[in-house]
Amino acid sequence: MAVSEVSLKLLIDTKNEKLLFAEASKDFIDFLFNLLSLPMGQVVRLLRKKDMVGCLPNLYKSIENLNETYIQPNASKDVLLKPKAAIPASVFPLLLTDVASTTTKVYICSYYHCSKKYGSNDPNNICPSCNNCTSTEVMFVDSQGVNKGETSGDGGGHVKGVVTYMVMDDLVVTPMSTISSISLLNKFNIQDVGALQEKNVTMGMDEGLQLLKESLQSKSVLTNTFLKTCSDAESEVRCYLIGAYDVELRRTPWTVDTGQ
C-alpha cells in the first residue's frame, strides 16, 4: 500500500529569512522523480483548479468542450484528457490520488499447438499464424522491476533508502553528507550557525499538488509549498520564517483617509 504522507526536514536561515535545503528520505525523492512520468494532460487535469499559468488549461478545456461529432470514430477524448501514467501509482508514493496508472497486459494465441505464439496487447486480435484470437493473458515482467508490488525499502521506487538526500529550494537533488552540508553553508555565507533552525513538515496530497504547480513556475519550490502562506491580495502582510515556530503573519495597521 502506497504511503499517503511523506515527512521531511527543512533547514532555515532565520536571519536572512531563507530556506537553505531540505533533508529528505527515499519516499520524497521517489515522489519528485515520479513527477517526470506524469503525462502532460494529467498534469493539466490536476492543476487546472489551482490557477495554472499558461495556455494549456485553455487547450484542455477546448478538447473537453469539443463535440464528439468532430472526433475520429476510433479515437477517444479520454486519451488526451485522462492519460495514464506509465508507472503504477500503487507502487510509488505519488500522493496524487487522481492519477491513473496503466499496467501492461500481453495476450498470446489461444490455440495450444500454435507454432508461433504471437503476442498482442489486444485480446481480440487474430494470430497471423493460426487465425485464432490472442485471448490468453500471460504475465508481463517489467524490465525495471516496478511491477513487483514493492512499495517501500530498497526494492521499489527509483532511489535506494540507505542514505538521506538533500533537496534544494529549486529541486536540485543530491545524496546528503557532512561535507556537502558544510560546503553548502559556506556557499550561502552562513556566519551565525545559531540562526539556523530546523522545521519538520509533512507532505500530503494538497502539498503534493502545490509542489507540482510550483515546480512549473518557480525557482523557490519548497519555500512556496511549505513556508509561504501569504496571499497576494494581502499586500500589508509579511511572512517571517522562524525556524522553531510556524510562519507568523504580522499585519501593519491600516490608515484610513476619511477626507476630513
Side-chain angles (χ1 to χ4, degrees):
M1 182 177 180
V3 297
S4 58
E5 288 187 344
V6 174
S7 299
L8 63 155
K9 186 182 298 182
L10 309 179
L11 184 64
I12 303 169
D13 178 6
T14 59
K15 184 176 181 180
N16 296 308
E17 297 182 359
K18 180 178 179 60
L19 187 150
L20 301 183
F21 61 85
E23 180 180 330
S25 64
K26 164 189 169 55
D27 286 339
F28 184 71
I29 304 305
D30 281 340
F31 168 81
L32 291 181
F33 287 0
N34 280 332
L35 294 181
L36 296 178
S37 72
L38 293 177
M40 183 57 69
Q42 192 62 260
V43 172
V44 177
R45 185 185 178 202
L46 289 168
L47 298 182
R48 59 180 179 156
K49 294 181 180 180
K50 283 185 166 287
D51 300 323
M52 183 179 180
V53 298
C55 301
L56 285 176
N58 296 335
L59 184 61
Y60 189 97
K61 191 169 184 61
S62 297
I63 299 174
E64 270 189 324
N65 295 336
L66 189 64
N67 194 288
E68 292 288 347
T69 305
Y70 302 100
I71 303 298
Q72 291 280 10
N74 61 339
S76 171
K77 293 197 295 184
D78 283 349
V79 173
L80 302 173
L81 300 177
K82 301 177 182 179
K84 296 182 178 180
I87 300 176
S90 60
V91 175
F92 298 115
L94 285 175
L95 307 182
L96 309 177
T97 58
D98 195 27
V99 176
S101 60
T102 180
T103 300
T104 302
K105 291 187 177 182
V106 177
Y107 303 89
I108 61 173
C109 172
S110 58
Y111 182 50
Y112 181 77
H113 296 289
C114 180
S115 59
K116 296 295 184 180
K117 294 293 182 182
Y118 286 97
S120 171
N121 60 356
D122 187 346
N124 297 315
N125 280 344
I126 302 298
C127 174
S129 176
C130 65
N131 292 325
N132 284 287
C133 286
T134 57
S135 57
T136 301
E137 185 178 352
V138 295
M139 184 69 68
F140 176 78
V141 179
D142 192 285
S143 61
Q144 295 181 351
V146 297
N147 290 330
K148 294 180 180 179
E150 298 167 349
T151 59
S152 62
D154 290 345
H158 297 290
V159 298
K160 294 182 177 181
V162 294
V163 297
T164 302
Y165 297 88
M166 178 186 296
V167 184
M168 305 302 295
D169 207 5
D170 58 359
L171 299 189
V172 173
V173 177
T174 57
M176 192 168 183
S177 67
T178 303
I179 295 178
S180 62
S181 301
I182 295 175
S183 299
L184 194 59
L185 294 181
N186 290 331
K187 177 182 177 181
F188 285 117
N189 194 27
I190 302 298
Q191 303 294 330
D192 184 10
V193 180
L196 300 180
Q197 298 287 347
E198 292 182 347
K199 182 180 180 67
N200 294 312
V201 296
T202 301
M203 183 179 73
M205 183 178 176
D206 290 340
E207 292 82 8
L209 289 172
Q210 185 64 29
L211 189 148
L212 174 59
K213 174 187 175 183
E214 295 295 339
S215 67
L216 296 173
Q217 63 188 32
S218 172
K219 292 288 187 179
S220 303
V221 179
L222 300 182
T223 294
N224 294 343
T225 301
F226 298 108
L227 297 176
K228 187 176 180 181
T229 60
C230 290
S231 169
D232 293 336
E234 296 178 292
S235 58
E236 298 300 322
V237 180
R238 293 187 58 199
C239 287
Y240 289 89
L241 304 183
I242 303 178
Y245 305 94
D246 291 327
V247 176
E248 180 183 353
L249 299 182
R250 299 181 180 178
R251 296 180 178 275
T252 301
W254 293 93
T255 302
V256 180
D257 185 3
T258 61
Q260 297 180 355

